[in-house]
Amino acid sequence: MNDVIAVKRRLIETLSEAASKAQEMGKLPAVALPEITVEHPPNSGHGDYASSLPLKLARATGSNPMAIAREMVGLMAPAAEIASIAVAPPGFINFTLKDDWLTRQVDGILAAKDAYGNMTIGQGTRVQVEFVSVNPTGPLHVGHGRGAILGSTLANVLAAAGYDVTKEYYINDAGNQIDAFYRSLYARYQQAFGIAAGVPANGYVGNYMIDLAKEIIAEEGNKFLTLPEREAIARLGEIGLKKMIAQITSDLELLGVTFDVWFSERSLYQGGQYEKAMSLLKQGGYIAEKEGATWFESTALGEDKDNVVVRGDGSPTYFAADIAYHYNKFLERRFDKVINIWGADHQGHVSRMKAVIGALGISPERFKVIISQMVTLRRGSELVKISKRSGDLITLREVIEEVGADACRFIFLSRSADAQMDFDLELAKKESMDNPVYYVQYAHARIASIMKFAQQDQMDFSDGDVSLLTTEPELALIRKMVLLPEVIEVVTETMEPHHLAYYAQDLATVFHSFYKQCRVVSDDKVLTRARLKLVQAAKSVLARTLTLMGMQALEKM
RNA sequence: GUCCCUGUAGCUCAGUCGGACAGAGCGGCUGCCUUCUAAGCAGUUGGUCGGGCGUUCGAGUCGCCCCAGGGACGCCA
């Protein structure tokens, strides 16, 4: 187990033992102990860890919290890594870490290298993160980028926490939308040859469809003109679909987002999973025929309304496909946990999918949906349209090319998924010099520069004595570095990657402050070696944090 | 009408399980480059935490009721 996490666990244990002992001795009424937690006090003057257990016990026992705190502290065996335990009003117990324990962590971080922060809390649990999964009927826009960044970062963190992670993209390559896409493409194809064909009413009218048709013509010529319409649409559509998927793939790669599995909706029908899932629900008595269609009776499960799974014309709905897909995730591929990141427009889909999960006999805590809220794109005060159906749209690719992948990632990671946000292109660019993105990367580049400078003197610091790191700026830096494992733990528990961005910024801040106050390479060779160790460790933690966020750790800026 | 998300400093946003004086970045105002990167540092300005009631020793955080913004309520996906 990681050292800091171990310390935290030990403190909780110490508190628990002290409380029990006080009860045994009759100094504290024998009430059930509340869940014991330790936190980081907001004010650093109060130490590294604090517990409000006495305050909580005061409520349960009706006694004075300060007295309880004193009693408990008196019963605590001093832990090896703790320098002092103090009681503070109105009833906190504060713990301060020993300086030499802190400085030793520098050696620990250097030894862990890229693996620093890794944990085993996941215990190899098989978790699937499904994200983006945009219909391959048009290019990605910024909103999709948000989900992509959220998902890939979450996957990185879960992997660091010891989960066995599969990143997956669900390709909706069947159904009405694909049909509309195929027909729209066929119309544009015909138009390119001067044939008066109309894009269907519910079709995709964007200019990219004209470009797509032209691209196909350049490669395939006019051969689809002579085919029967049915066949032409199918074959042309297939080519267009492949191209759209390729484009989506490469757009995501620009953002540093990749997937382990690209899962085809069609395969659900070809593999018989759709039938299996449906018959399972039927067996459970959740399926009913009415009004000429087949329904999933979710009202019986507390839902607002029932939902159609098979239309009057016999074709399955999107909902039916998703049922089959989740049947596949849980019952065929047997993921222990499934995390879906959906756009805000899918929020109505959440509760009925939860109902399905229950109906399939899957325990609800294995299924988690994160809704990534809307992004509105603007240039200053001017609103920029990103609708797929309209002609003028700014694609994700254009945004990335304009502001940069790292800036994009950081901006999205600085906000919690359930807050709607404005993405101001002007601001993202104008701020580019003062952007927190560069602030963090600059800290890393600065250290790289120090290392390079030190290397000119062939400085070997492998025997640096970390116990010489005794000043406030040095210890403050270590205190922050040592927090990464906890951040990873928090992100894992809350599924909120944005904590990482704030941590990155905090870490950069303490580093920059340290840098200003402490000269690393100096005439004092012994101190220099110790500080080189410190700075090298800081570089490693910064790099790890940036990597988890999917960002570059630059050597030079 | 029902359901979901949001409302915290001039702006953009954090705020774990209810805890110590409510935080950061940007902006504004002051200072700081002979020395490893000033894309930096130090200081300062700035808040009825949308409003009300309640629970609690203690509420930005929990409950109820309002107000405001956004989204979802298809045999679209």
Side-chain angles (χ1 to χ4, degrees):
Chain A
M1 191 192 296
N2 186 284
D3 279 3
V4 237
I5 304 290
V7 167
K8 203 170 167 179
R9 301 263 189 284
R10 209 134 53 220
L11 288 178
I12 291 170
E13 221 170 280
T14 306
L15 285 160
S16 159
E17 280 167 11
S20 308
K21 211 181 284 179
Q23 289 181 328
E24 280 166 30
M25 294 167 67
K27 310 231 170 172
L28 193 66
V31 294
L33 293 182
E35 194 199 345
I36 300 173
T37 56
V38 289
E39 61 198 62
H40 297 286
N43 181 342
S44 59
H46 289 129
D48 293 298
Y49 294 95
S51 175
S52 59
L53 182 60
L55 285 163
K56 291 186 173 118
L57 285 172
R59 179 193 333 219
T61 62
S63 31
N64 181 308
M66 284 298 282
I68 297 173
R70 278 196 210 92
E71 198 61 55
M72 284 179 61
V73 169
L75 294 168
M76 282 182 194
E81 52 278 294
I82 298 300
S84 71
I85 306 177
V87 172
F92 289 98
I93 299 177
N94 295 328
F95 303 90
T96 303
L97 291 164
K98 276 185 184 161
D99 288 358
D100 71 321
W101 182 86
L102 281 165
T103 55
R104 269 204 308 279
Q105 302 310 304
V106 172
D107 281 328
I109 291 166
L110 288 174
K113 293 187 182 146
D114 294 350
Y116 179 67
N118 278 2
M119 280 180 293
T120 54
I121 50 177
Q123 296 179 309
T125 303
R126 292 183 63 239
V127 49
Q128 182 209 47
V129 185
E130 185 223 314
F131 58 112
V132 190
S133 299
V134 177
N135 283 351
T137 53
L140 301 176
H141 60 64
V142 270
H144 302 135
R146 184 179 195 179
I149 290 161
L150 234 35
S152 59
T153 304
L154 190 58
N156 290 343
V157 174
L158 288 171
Y163 288 86
D164 177 4
V165 182
T166 300
K167 292 181 287 181
E168 186 154 317
Y169 188 118
Y170 177 53
I171 308 168
N172 297 111
D173 52 7
N176 288 338
Q177 296 304 320
I178 279 293
D179 194 55
F181 170 76
Y182 279 22
R183 288 175 191 284
S184 304
L185 181 59
Y186 184 55
R188 292 304 196 190
Y189 181 82
Q190 288 176 304
Q191 284 170 8
F193 291 103
I195 297 165
V199 173
N202 62 343
Y204 293 88
V205 296
N207 288 322
Y208 66 89
M209 291 298 283
I210 298 172
D211 297 337
L212 184 60
K214 282 184 186 151
E215 196 185 318
I216 293 172
I217 290 165
E219 290 167 18
E220 308 279 339
N222 65 356
K223 62 186 183 194
F224 299 108
L225 288 179
T226 53
L227 292 175
E229 180 173 290
R230 224 181 123 92
E231 196 184 339
I233 288 174
R235 288 184 51 190
L236 191 63
E238 210 56 24
I239 294 169
L241 176 65
K242 279 213 181 74
K243 285 189 176 294
M244 272 330 303
I245 294 170
Q247 195 190 319
I248 287 169
T249 309
S250 91
D251 287 0
L252 289 169
E253 273 169 7
L254 255 192
L255 260 189
V257 176
T258 57
F259 291 87
D260 303 310
V261 178
W262 291 76
F263 192 95
S264 153
E265 178 184 346
R266 274 183 216 166
S267 72
L268 293 167
Y269 304 106
Q270 291 156 359
Q273 330 225 18
Y274 166 74
E275 279 82 8
K276 283 186 206 160
M278 286 304 146
S279 71
L280 206 59
L281 289 182
K282 214 168 281 175
Q283 277 168 35
Y286 298 105
I287 299 292
E289 303 287 338
K290 61 180 181 186
E291 298 165 34
T294 308
W295 297 71
F296 175 67
E297 295 203 297
S298 30
T299 42
L301 297 161
E303 276 288 281
D304 285 351
K305 56 193 182 73
D306 294 337
N307 294 280
V308 172
V309 283
V310 183
R311 300 185 183 95
D313 66 2
S315 65
T317 60
Y318 168 80
F319 181 46
D322 224 19
I323 291 171
Y325 184 35
H326 284 80
Y327 164 83
N328 169 275
K329 290 183 182 196
F330 284 107
L331 271 29
E332 298 257 326
R333 284 190 283 166
R334 304 201 165 271
F335 284 108
D336 297 311
K337 208 169 162 125
V338 165
I339 300 166
N340 293 338
I341 298 178
W342 291 343
D345 56 340
H346 276 61
Q347 152 252 107
H349 191 53
V350 178
S351 66
R352 61 172 174 260
M353 277 313 294
K354 282 188 174 162
V356 165
I357 296 300
L360 289 174
I362 296 153
S363 123
E365 61 269 20
R366 290 171 62 195
F367 179 66
K368 165 90 180 167
V369 179
I370 295 170
I371 293 294
S372 134
Q373 286 295 336
M374 286 202 63
V375 179
T376 38
L377 193 62
R378 54 176 69 246
R379 239 178 239 291
S381 56
E382 180 202 348
L383 209 66
V384 181
K385 286 213 173 94
I386 54 175
S387 162
K388 203 190 287 182
R389 304 268 177 120
S390 75
D392 72 330
L393 66 150
I394 291 216
T395 62
L396 175 62
R397 174 171 284 267
E398 288 170 283
V399 172
I400 298 167
E401 280 165 357
E402 199 168 328
V403 311
D406 284 350
C408 269
R409 290 197 73 110
F410 200 89
I411 288 169
F412 281 121
L413 285 173
S414 307
R415 285 149 179 88
S416 77
D418 41 36
Q420 296 155 220
M421 62 176 285
D422 280 1
F423 192 107
D424 186 343
L425 287 164
E426 222 164 71
L427 211 71
K429 280 192 305 175
K430 192 182 77 186
E431 272 189 358
S432 68
M433 279 322 203
D434 276 313
N435 210 306
V437 189
Y438 300 102
Y439 179 80
V440 176
Q441 289 181 323
Y442 183 57
H444 186 271
R446 252 183 162 176
I447 299 174
S449 173
I450 296 172
M451 301 315 293
K452 213 167 128 197
F453 183 81
Q455 228 151 38
Q456 291 170 359
D457 299 340
Q458 307 287 332
M459 184 77 73
D460 176 13
F461 59 90
S462 57
D463 63 342
D465 179 3
V466 292
S467 71
L468 299 173
L469 304 169
T470 54
T471 67
E472 198 278 325
E474 293 167 310
L475 292 170
L477 178 53
I478 299 171
R479 284 193 153 92
K480 193 59 81 177
M481 285 161 35
V482 137
L483 246 40
L484 178 62
E486 279 185 31
V487 174
I488 291 174
E489 198 179 36
V490 167
V491 172
T492 305
E493 279 164 7
T494 60
M495 306 272 172
E496 293 170 350
H498 69 269
H499 298 291
L500 213 47
Y502 286 88
Y503 172 71
Q505 206 163 178
D506 286 351
L507 182 57
T509 298
V510 284
F511 169 74
H512 285 307
S513 177
F514 155 84
Y515 177 88
K516 187 69 182 176
Q517 296 173 76
C518 301
R519 170 120 196 137
V520 176
V521 181
S522 67
D523 295 337
D524 184 341
K525 299 290 185 207
V526 182
L527 184 61
T528 296
R529 284 198 281 273
R531 286 188 171 164
L532 281 172
K533 263 193 172 175
L534 171 62
V535 144
Q536 177 67 32
K539 182 170 182 255
S540 165
V541 180
L542 276 165
R544 185 79 212 274
T545 306
L546 287 166
T547 306
L548 286 171
M549 291 193 289
M551 294 169 56
Q552 303 285 314
L554 305 171
E555 293 292 310
K556 213 170 107 181
M557 284 174 72

